[in-house]
Amino acid sequence: MIDPQLLRENPDAVRRSQEARGVSPSTVDEAIAADAARRAALTAFENVRAEQNVFGKTVAAAAKDAKAALVAQAQDLAAQVKTAQVAATEAEAEFDRVVGAIQNVIIDGVPAGGEDDFVTIREVGTPASFDFEARDHLAIGEILGAIDMERGAKVSGARFYFLRGVGARLELALIQMGLDRALAAGFEPLITPTLVRPDIMAGTGFLGAHSDEIYYLERDDLYLTGTSEVALAGFHKDEIIDVSNGPLRYAGISTCYRREAGSGGKDTRGIIRVHQFQKLEMFAYIDPKDAEAEHVALLAMQEGMLQALGLAYRVIDIAAGDLGSSAARKFDVEAWVPTQGAYRELTSTSNCTTYQSRRLDIRYRTPEGKTAPVATLNGTLATTRWIVALLETHQQADGSVLVPEALQPYLGLAVLEPK
């Protein structure tokens, strides 16, 4: 949830954020009213409980023959305390419900609008061009014996696939290359659970408008994760962590699952938009004052990976209405896909400020010794979709694919040859 203090002291900032996201700002007024009701109910409970405590001392000090007359008053006060406690609990729950519907407050400079209103920050590299008819990634993958969609569909249905031979090796090489870079930057590797409890999924902000994209196992009351960000965010739930010596950085490796329910038949060819894939996800817990600098650092790591792989790309600043509920700012890095003549998202990095940590109760100690919510950030460093841009960018006329020099030590090959 958002910072209650910000809600009270600067509600206009929250309203502007909601409007930039294309959401009604009326939820802000509802939250302010719910906060006032919550605080009033809590004060009433504390007052009547204090009165009960004082009266209890009076009863204890009273003469034995006088105590009987005070019992009725004591019982009445006890009933008042119980009623006030119920009211305070209900008011707290109502506040949580209302404020929980408010999406994270965007960072100044985030463009307003929806999916098409992003701002291009930079374009890097020269998009690949060929003096032959370029093949798309699936055609190349089939020539190499690397991608098998037909058998994937036979086994699991549409949008499933097998990576085989050099395809499987290529994915593992990408993950290992990304992991080595993460290790050099101080990230601790974790292989994460891919099934999580509802409170963890909700705490990360994934059970909002796009909850239909998530696989849910009703019998077990567990969700399949679409990114290891979910498990990584829950890793320190209900903890006070130490970030006094710098951020806690984790690199989560996991299989990811997405329904792609809202894709409407888009990108059904090949492995661009599938139900299952592998991913290496960076995640950082950090002092909120350092979060924006960490965001820049995560983006630099992603760009360094794409540059090392010889991919042309652009970085875009995602508009507020396309951020998702938890991100205050998100940068997408989109690689050029030659046969589509377009940039396509390979990776993104989000600054979630304290939104997730408030929901998951993850705190750090300030220099004054008090506890406060940490900031959380995430960013993808390698995923199955990267294979698409690699195969298409580095393809040769005979169907072979040149392996970027930086990837060769991990793959053990300089060229992927037709099978």
Side-chain angles (χ1 to χ4, degrees):
M1 62 177 64
I2 65 168
D3 183 353
Q5 188 172 347
L6 177 65
L7 181 68
R8 295 179 204 126
E9 297 178 358
N10 194 359
D12 286 341
V14 186
R15 291 190 184 95
R16 287 193 298 270
S17 176
Q18 290 289 88
E19 289 169 347
R21 288 177 174 273
V23 180
S24 172
S26 63
T27 51
V28 179
D29 297 320
E30 293 173 21
I32 291 171
D35 184 37
R38 174 182 70 99
R39 288 186 290 159
L42 183 60
T43 298
F45 168 59
E46 290 174 346
N47 286 343
V48 72
R49 185 170 59 178
E51 185 179 349
Q52 182 190 42
N53 290 337
V54 171
F55 191 76
K57 293 177 182 178
T58 300
V59 174
K64 185 175 182 181
D65 58 350
K67 286 185 179 180
L70 300 175
V71 170
Q73 286 181 261
Q75 290 176 338
D76 181 59
L77 273 174
Q80 290 181 47
V81 168
K82 186 175 181 179
T83 299
Q85 185 175 27
V86 169
T89 300
E90 290 177 348
E92 186 77 39
E94 176 62 9
F95 173 72
D96 287 345
R97 183 191 70 79
V98 175
V99 81
I102 298 176
Q103 300 178 60
N104 199 0
V105 177
I106 62 172
I107 292 170
D108 288 344
V110 171
E115 183 178 1
D116 298 325
D117 297 310
F118 61 84
V119 171
T120 299
I121 297 174
R122 55 183 164 271
E123 295 182 2
V124 179
T126 303
S129 60
F130 309 96
D131 57 5
F132 57 89
E133 185 175 352
R135 300 176 176 90
D136 72 7
H137 74 280
L138 181 55
I140 300 168
E142 289 173 342
I143 290 171
L144 298 174
I147 303 173
D148 193 330
M149 301 296 298
E150 183 178 346
R151 290 187 174 91
K154 178 176 68 176
V155 170
S156 302
R159 302 200 189 199
F160 286 94
Y161 56 95
F162 283 90
L163 291 180
R164 56 187 302 187
V166 294
R169 291 173 64 186
L170 182 57
E171 180 171 89
L172 293 172
L174 284 168
I175 296 291
Q176 188 60 56
M177 178 180 170
L179 181 59
D180 276 359
R181 288 171 173 249
L183 289 170
F187 286 78
E188 178 183 350
L190 294 177
I191 295 177
T192 66
T194 57
L195 285 165
V196 300
R197 293 164 35 184
D199 59 318
I200 302 298
M201 188 66 80
T204 53
F206 279 88
L207 292 184
H210 299 287
S211 58
D212 60 342
E213 297 289 326
I214 303 169
Y215 287 101
Y216 175 59
L217 281 65
E218 184 174 2
R219 181 176 175 179
D220 304 286
D221 195 23
L222 292 170
Y223 288 91
L224 279 168
T225 58
T227 168
S228 61
E229 173 195 344
V230 179
L232 293 169
F235 189 60
H236 285 298
K237 182 179 183 294
D238 299 326
E239 294 180 24
I240 299 172
I241 61 176
D242 185 4
V243 294
S244 60
N245 295 317
L248 301 185
R249 296 188 176 108
Y250 299 104
I253 303 168
S254 74
T255 304
C256 305
Y257 305 89
R258 294 186 186 176
R259 285 187 180 277
E260 294 290 357
S263 59
K266 185 178 180 182
D267 294 326
T268 56
R269 179 172 168 80
I271 59 172
I272 291 179
R273 198 180 291 269
V274 291
H275 293 309
Q276 177 183 324
F277 53 94
Q278 299 296 122
K279 190 160 71 155
L280 171 63
E281 185 79 2
M282 301 178 290
F283 196 91
Y285 295 90
I286 195 168
D287 187 321
K289 67 178 174 55
D290 300 322
E292 291 193 54
E294 182 75 358
H295 201 192
V296 172
L298 294 179
L299 178 59
M301 289 185 65
Q302 294 172 328
E303 290 191 70
M305 185 88 170
L306 268 77
Q307 290 168 17
L309 294 171
L311 300 177
Y313 66 89
R314 70 178 180 184
V315 179
I316 63 175
D317 195 354
I318 298 298
D322 196 33
L323 285 177
S325 62
S326 59
R329 183 167 223 155
K330 181 169 77 167
F331 300 118
D332 276 4
V333 184
E334 301 181 329
W336 181 258
V337 179
T339 62
Q340 296 192 9
Y343 290 102
R344 301 303 306 272
E345 179 198 340
L346 285 201
T347 180
S348 65
T349 176
S350 298
N351 180 358
C352 296
T353 58
T354 61
Y355 185 86
Q356 293 177 331
S357 65
R358 289 179 186 280
R359 298 164 77 97
L360 294 167
D361 192 24
I362 306 167
R363 295 163 290 155
Y364 75 106
R365 290 202 181 277
T366 67
E368 295 74 30
K370 297 181 179 180
T371 62
V374 297
T376 60
L377 300 96
N378 63 80
T380 304
L381 199 51
T383 185
T384 302
R385 189 184 284 189
W386 289 42
I387 295 173
V388 173
L390 271 171
L391 295 182
E392 293 205 15
T393 297
H394 299 301
Q395 64 178 295
Q396 305 297 298
D398 64 354
S400 65
V401 176
L402 300 179
V403 178
E405 185 177 349
L407 190 61
Q408 291 177 16
Y410 299 97
L411 191 59
L413 295 169
V415 181
L416 307 181
E417 300 283 0
K419 188 171 181 180

